[in-house]
Amino acid sequence: MLTYTVYSEAGGVGKTTLAVNLAVADARAGRDVLAIDMDPQEGSLSYLLDVGDRRTDSDADSLVRHLVERPRGPFEDLIETSEGVDVVPAHNSLEVLSKHLRRREEEAADFGENWNPNVQLLRVLKAADVPAQYDTVIVDPPATADVKLYNAIHATRNLVIPFEPSGKGQQSVTGLTDLVDGLEETLDINVGVLAAVPNRYKGTNDQEEMLDRLEAMNYDVPVVFRERTSLLEGCWRQQCSAFAYIEEHRSRERDYELETLERFETLARRLRETREQEVTA
């Protein structure tokens, strides 16, 4: 099973767009895909795939309830399907997940039990037999490094890191090693970086130098994405992937947009191949 978290400290660099389109690319390749939305922001994966109807329903079951061992039903009832991808949608209660987990940890301590708040997503997925049911699991957490990210990393052990090759992006590049080292130290696990993914790429000399530095740091950069504002804004407007937007909402095909779809497919394939190589190594 391929599992990874799409994460960037910088935020606003196409994190959710990348997660959605990688999920759809894998589903179109015939894989069973589960995408888990752990971002409490309104403009999250759930919104983009149009499965967020229960976000504000305080009576609805949610992933948060499962994480604190207070579910209102089986895990599979949380799942909605969009464009061939099974999705665990976000719920507004994610905003106070840290508080709920801390309270649950304190309750366990009162009874002399060890209860790690950072491993609860992994526990929930194992209990629901997700590893046996899915080929790919993708988690989309918020940009903030908090317990939501820690649960995502514990469950997936791998990162895909989008970034913009700009001045701010350069800080993200140089901070990649510190980011991974910090997560490994905090969680006491090994964390792999499956790929670093530049977007809004314009081919300047500075950007080329930045990509060279990444490769010198042994990070895989399978593809780069150029500026595709019209396409990606259209996806958010229509609440769909780039694949669905081009097929259903464009009146004519644009070669450069079809190339973008091919890059999503290429990246998804490379991630699968990297995982297969790790398993057989």
Side-chain angles (χ1 to χ4, degrees), residues 19 29 69 83 102 183 211 221 236 246 250 264:
E69 300 180 298
E83 297 190 43
R102 186 167 58 252
L183 288 170
L211 298 190
V221 185
W236 284 98
I246 289 174
R250 281 298 200 204
F264 283 126

Side-chain angles (χ1 to χ4, degrees), residues 51-64:
V51 292
D53 292 346
R54 293 180 291 178
R55 170 185 283 274
T56 61
D57 185 354
S58 59
D59 295 324
D61 198 10
S62 68
L63 179 60
V64 169

Side-chain angles (χ1 to χ4, degrees), residues 7-15 18 161-174 176 196-202 204 206-207 210-211 213-214 224-227 229:
Y7 176 72
S8 172
E9 285 184 305
V13 291
K15 172 180 67 69
L18 183 62
I161 303 179
F163 72 97
E164 183 178 337
S166 62
K168 184 177 181 181
Q170 183 173 356
Q171 297 176 11
S172 298
V173 170
T174 57
L176 275 178
V197 185
N199 60 65
R200 298 178 184 173
Y201 175 75
K202 298 178 181 178
T204 66
D206 287 344
Q207 290 178 334
M210 193 179 302
L211 298 190
R213 287 198 297 274
L214 266 180
V224 297
F225 289 95
R226 293 185 176 273
E227 184 76 54
T229 301

Side-chain angles (χ1 to χ4, degrees), residues 131-190:
Q133 297 182 49
Y134 290 94
D135 304 307
T136 301
V137 175
I138 302 172
V139 184
D140 184 24
T144 306
D146 64 5
V147 72
K148 293 180 282 294
L149 173 65
Y150 299 155
N151 268 273
I153 297 297
H154 243 297
T156 64
R157 306 297 174 101
N158 292 301
L159 287 168
V160 171
I161 303 179
F163 72 97
E164 183 178 337
S166 62
K168 184 177 181 181
Q170 183 173 356
Q171 297 176 11
S172 298
V173 170
T174 57
L176 275 178
T177 300
D178 290 340
L179 167 65
V180 175
D181 289 347
L183 288 170
E184 290 182 331
E185 182 176 353
T186 298
L187 302 176
D188 194 27
I189 59 174
N190 292 325

Side-chain angles (χ1 to χ4, degrees), residues 5-277:
T5 295
V6 181
Y7 176 72
S8 172
E9 285 184 305
V13 291
K15 172 180 67 69
T16 296
T17 301
L18 183 62
V20 164
N21 284 289
L22 287 175
V24 172
D26 259 11
R28 292 167 71 102
R31 293 172 66 87
D32 293 320
V33 182
L34 178 67
I36 301 173
D37 187 356
M38 297 192 73
D39 192 341
Q41 294 187 92
E42 290 289 341
S44 69
L45 182 147
S46 303
Y47 177 85
L48 189 51
L49 285 175
D50 196 18
V51 292
D53 292 346
R54 293 180 291 178
R55 170 185 283 274
T56 61
D57 185 354
S58 59
D59 295 324
D61 198 10
S62 68
L63 179 60
V64 169
R65 286 188 165 276
H66 287 252
L67 294 176
V68 298
E69 300 180 298
R70 298 290 187 273
R72 286 184 168 169
F75 177 81
E76 53 266 28
D77 286 356
L78 297 177
I79 295 171
E80 300 186 42
T81 302
S82 177
E83 297 190 43
V85 177
D86 283 357
V87 183
V88 177
H91 190 272
N92 282 353
S93 56
L94 281 166
E95 294 178 355
V96 289
L97 176 61
S98 296
K99 181 184 74 173
H100 291 311
L101 290 173
R102 186 167 58 252
R103 182 183 301 155
R104 181 66 185 86
E105 184 179 21
E106 291 170 353
E107 291 175 355
D110 288 342
F111 289 94
E113 302 169 353
N114 291 321
W115 198 87
N116 186 344
N118 294 327
V119 303
Q120 297 311 306
L121 178 59
L122 179 61
R123 172 188 58 78
V124 168
L125 298 182
K126 285 183 175 179
D129 205 23
V130 164
Q133 297 182 49
Y134 290 94
D135 304 307
T136 301
V137 175
I138 302 172
V139 184
D140 184 24
T144 306
D146 64 5
V147 72
K148 293 180 282 294
L149 173 65
Y150 299 155
N151 268 273
I153 297 297
H154 243 297
T156 64
R157 306 297 174 101
N158 292 301
L159 287 168
V160 171
I161 303 179
F163 72 97
E164 183 178 337
S166 62
K168 184 177 181 181
Q170 183 173 356
Q171 297 176 11
S172 298
V173 170
T174 57
L176 275 178
T177 300
D178 290 340
L179 167 65
V180 175
D181 289 347
L183 288 170
E184 290 182 331
E185 182 176 353
T186 298
L187 302 176
D188 194 27
I189 59 174
N190 292 325
V191 180
V193 178
L194 297 181
V197 185
N199 60 65
R200 298 178 184 173
Y201 175 75
K202 298 178 181 178
T204 66
N205 289 337
D206 287 344
Q207 290 178 334
E208 288 289 346
E209 290 177 7
M210 193 179 302
L211 298 190
D212 289 341
R213 287 198 297 274
L214 266 180
E215 292 175 349
M217 296 163 64
N218 293 321
Y219 288 112
D220 192 17
V221 185
V223 299
V224 297
F225 289 95
R226 293 185 176 273
E227 184 76 54
R228 293 291 181 261
T229 301
S230 175
L231 170 61
L232 299 182
E233 286 184 353
C235 293
W236 284 98
R237 186 171 59 253
Q238 297 294 338
Q239 292 182 266
C240 64
S241 73
F243 295 92
Y245 183 73
I246 289 174
E247 292 173 355
E248 300 173 14
H249 301 286
R250 281 298 200 204
S251 58
R252 63 180 178 84
E253 292 184 345
R254 296 161 169 84
D255 289 343
Y256 60 88
E257 291 186 346
L258 295 177
E259 179 188 16
T260 299
L261 298 188
E262 291 174 0
R263 290 180 184 238
F264 283 126
E265 292 171 334
T266 296
L267 178 56
R269 184 170 61 252
R270 177 69 71 87
L271 297 176
R272 296 194 300 267
E273 292 170 350
T274 299
R275 176 56 183 161
E276 291 169 1
Q277 292 168 1

